[in-house]
Amino acid sequence: MVYFLIALIVFLIDQGTKYLIATGLTIGEQIPVIGNFFLITSHRNRGAAFSILQDQRWFFVTVTAVVVVGIIWYLIKIKKQRNKLLPTALSLVLGGAVGNFLDRVVSGEVVDFLQFNFGSYTFPIFNVADSCIVIGVALIILDSLLEMRREKQTSRANHEQEEKV
């Protein structure tokens, strides 16, 4: 199934980039990409997004395992659906979740390295898996909005059909 292939590609890119950072840079080392706006910065995160819930390794491992199983089950359930946006979004979330899951299980921390500065504000450092999870969730929200719109249009068309009869 193509959606598991997408998840695998996300996972491999995530793990490959994390490996390059972990083996090529010391923690805290920075490489400017676009001045001070975008830097590659070697960082480790023992928590979740924005470094919340630090050192809650087994909590994250458990929650991620449940989420991964749920996504796999749902992808299998909807595989024959004509809508391609939702399964694509879920595959992005799946690949990213498995990437960060493996980091937590193996080393208890996630390798982050993408840093953006907006003037004096530094956005929390993140990685490819985080990016794919955020994009996937945004696409899931978009799919939900589009589905509500489709249902509204179908309901309106059915109502108009009933009035003609």
Side-chain angles (χ1 to χ4, degrees), residues 142-160:
L142 175 62
D143 180 72
S144 296
L145 295 172
L146 293 173
E147 183 62 29
M148 288 188 319
R149 189 169 151 205
R150 286 188 292 265
E151 287 175 6
K152 191 174 183 180
Q153 289 173 341
T154 301
S155 176
R156 189 177 307 139
N158 288 342
H159 182 68
E160 290 172 3

Side-chain angles (χ1 to χ4, degrees), residues 21-40:
I21 296 304
T23 60
L25 299 175
T26 60
I27 294 177
E29 186 175 351
Q30 297 182 324
I31 300 171
V33 177
I34 302 175
N36 193 44
F37 170 68
F38 172 44
L39 302 111
I40 302 296

Side-chain angles (χ1 to χ4, degrees), residues 49-134:
F50 307 106
S51 296
I52 62 170
L53 299 171
Q54 287 290 311
D55 296 316
Q56 299 298 313
R57 176 183 191 179
W58 295 111
F59 169 76
F60 292 119
V61 167
T62 303
V63 169
T64 305
V66 170
V67 168
V68 165
V69 169
I71 291 173
I72 291 170
W73 171 81
Y74 197 68
L75 276 173
I76 291 168
K77 181 180 178 191
I78 66 170
K79 68 181 174 186
K80 293 184 181 168
Q81 179 179 318
R82 280 207 272 145
N83 176 10
K84 305 298 182 207
L85 183 58
L86 181 58
T88 301
L90 290 170
S91 65
L92 292 173
V93 174
L94 178 62
V98 171
N100 283 343
F101 175 82
L102 181 64
D103 290 352
R104 286 192 178 98
V105 168
V106 171
S107 66
E109 60 188 13
V110 174
V111 176
D112 288 333
F113 57 91
L114 299 170
Q115 179 180 341
F116 288 88
N117 298 307
F118 301 93
S120 62
Y121 174 74
T122 298
F123 190 80
I125 303 170
F126 59 99
N127 59 43
V128 172
D130 299 333
S131 301
C132 290
I133 291 169
V134 168

